Amino acid sequence: MPTFHTPPIQPMAIAFDAEKLTLTPEGPTLTRRMSDLEGLFLDHDAWKAAAEGDNPVVYTVVSSPVPEIDRELPQSITTIMPGDTSGELWMTKGHQHPNHQGEIYLALTGRGGLLMFDGERTEWLDMLPGTIGYIPPGWAHRSINTGDEPYAFLAVYPGGAGHDYGWVLEHGMGSRAYRGADGSADLRPYTTAS
Ligand SMILES: O=P(O)(O)OC[C@H]1O[C@](O)(CO)[C@@H](O)[C@@H]1O
């Protein structure tokens, strides 16, 4: 048996409920409201009015108990509510992995998109139930609800990957996703308010 500086956790079965979108046993859960998404939407005034108004839940993340530490492979289910802020579709904050490690998403319900940016190139993947989106090392990633129902996906990622949110605030994501006329996303070049 190999020896580890930090002993791995024990093998475990984790029950996935596809209707309730839960993982059991459950680990940490996260609720991100509009006020947590400062500096991300182009229309700052519309963001501020929503954040200081009813401050809606934009997305939740439920995790299994597998910890975010080196060599482990945590999993989580993210559910993004449908909505937009001045036309810009509701989304996760988006982050870069400081350690440049990959990640996979499996779309579960609803309709979404996976926006990736490596500092120069932008990629967009349509995410429908059953789609596996692969995020290679070095690509910042943000998920977006492009539909009218909650969009949920399972993420599996290296426990030591980390979340660098400052990178996204500094470099942007290459594109912004708006509600398109035919129900698909209208991707526009990334700009910031002058
Ligand atoms: O960290 P953010 O950008 O708020 O988004 C949450 C996402 O990040 C993860 O925690 C891991 O990449 C996902 O489980 C989740 O979708």
Side-chain angles (χ1 to χ4, degrees), residues 30 32 59 61 68 75-78 92-95 97 103 105 141-143 153 155 157 163 165:
L30 180 69
R32 292 229 201 263
Y59 60 101
V61 184
E68 289 189 342
Q75 320 93 40
S76 60
I77 296 172
T78 301
T92 59
K93 289 176 70 166
H95 60 262
H97 293 157
E103 179 163 1
Y105 288 171
H141 40 286
R142 163 176 289 161
S143 293
F153 63 93
Y157 54 100
H163 297 75
Y165 297 106

Side-chain angles (χ1 to χ4, degrees), residues 18-85:
E19 284 194 3
K20 294 184 187 150
L21 299 171
T22 55
L23 298 171
T24 308
E26 186 180 277
T29 66
L30 180 69
T31 300
R32 292 229 201 263
R33 293 182 174 274
M34 189 59 81
S35 55
D36 297 312
L37 275 66
E38 183 166 11
L40 302 180
F41 291 101
L42 179 61
D43 188 336
H44 177 81
D45 291 344
W47 166 80
K48 197 165 188 282
E52 291 178 353
D54 58 355
N55 197 19
V57 171
V58 178
Y59 60 101
T60 59
V61 184
V62 299
S63 305
S64 82
V66 177
E68 289 189 342
I69 57 175
D70 263 348
R71 284 183 289 271
E72 303 285 4
L73 279 176
Q75 320 93 40
S76 60
I77 296 172
T78 301
T79 304
I80 309 174
M81 301 304 145
D84 68 79
T85 299

